[in-house]
Amino acid sequence: MRDLRKKILLESGKTVSRKARSRPDSLGASPSNSPTPSRGASRLNSRYASEEEDNLSDSEYEDSLTNSIANSDDGDEPVTTWTERLGDRIAELLDRKRSSAKGREACLSAYTHIIRHHYAEEQLEPQLGELVPALLKSIRGGSSMDETLSAVKALTMTILSTESDNFYDHVYPSLKGLCQDSGEELLKTQAIEAMGIVTMCGGGSVVAAEELLDFLVEIVESDGDSVGAGDNGPVVAAALNAWGFVASNLEDIQGQSEQALEAFTEQLDSTDVDVQVAAGGNIAFIFEAAREYNDETEETWDLQYDQHRLVQRMTALVRESSKTVSKKDRKHLHASFNSVLTSLEHGKGPGYSTARRMASNPHTGGTRMDFDEEYREYGYREKVRIHNISMVIDTWSLSARVNMLRSVLGGGLAIHYMENPLVKDLLSSAQVEFVAAPKKGGRGDEHLSPPRKNRGGKPGKG
């Protein structure tokens, strides 16, 4: 009966509930020339602008919207498609004269939410000539921090949603200026992330990428001072994460590795756990790149760094952190550093477990002798599950890309991986396997599976 009622409501154009209208992409209640945001928009900041909302998978997002429609008896707006809502939001963004700062911020958030949860290249491409300048106006001269922040996020998603090589020259200077001149931590970190995306996905050259790596290392070396954010952990962590993403897309980073390795090693002593984790990951990535270079070219990329001393230092830091950080941060730091240590000692990627288990199950048949001494390492335990596809995170370069895409796309990673060629290409190095599709209602559209505890088998180091 419920399904039948839902079908009737949808087919008859039953109106959207107040709850559905309050979603960030449902601002249709107010006309585009309204100087103040609609009721739905006014509720945006208190409920739907959170990252938790953006972490919904695409199917969960659509299901929640459908349920709002089916359960509604008090709506007064016709049901619209996401493409229609996107068109309305773009029209509002281009009509700045009749909008307020609060209205623009709400519209920008709604626009970003739609293109995060839907691949909209076809709808965006014809509008880029007007849309990008409109976004840059809010970045350069936004009336509030929220408007500027929302504009940077909108621009980042726009770049990632369209295959255009014309973004870099137009938007990079504004993003760099925002990072250097803004006094707001959130604007600096978001600008750094956007700089990485536009350089690698919006038409930046190899030279541009190398210059960005140097810029990011300066931030790390100076503890944020180079961009007016001295001793600012989130800004330094953002620079570290962006460095890993950009470097992972370059074929040769020898010219940037020595200075970077020194800077990252110094940050292992940071009091910010996110900085320590990002620094450790980048160190592991550099040594991974050196191993791959040696294997592929049969030439020696000799890192002028004592790997044994580095391992001893990180081991000591893991022990010392037990007394200085919270239980949650300590667990995060230990898992990350142990992963890096395993990588340095055994030449493996992230999340590799050297703990061993029986290669065969003696309870399924055979004699006891058939199974003696047959043990196998658990191996790589970190995976990204998208629908019925499981991707193994087996290199630090892939890990850097996944982390950046998760940060930008949130719960939209699944739909963009399936439909966005740019995202698909960024993750093309991943080993994939097809698994059973998740049950309906399960959260199987996109998730990162952490390493599980060792069970059974012969204990080992891991």
Side-chain angles (χ1 to χ4, degrees), residues 381-394:
R381 311 299 298 277
E382 293 186 9
K383 300 179 181 180
V384 171
R385 171 77 173 271
I386 295 177
H387 301 308
N388 66 330
I389 297 173
S390 178
M391 290 187 292
V392 180
I393 311 301
D394 58 357

Side-chain angles (χ1 to χ4, degrees), residues 22-41:
S22 68
R23 299 195 64 86
D25 67 343
S26 265
L27 303 184
S30 62
S32 61
N33 62 351
S34 173
T36 58
S38 66
R39 180 184 178 193

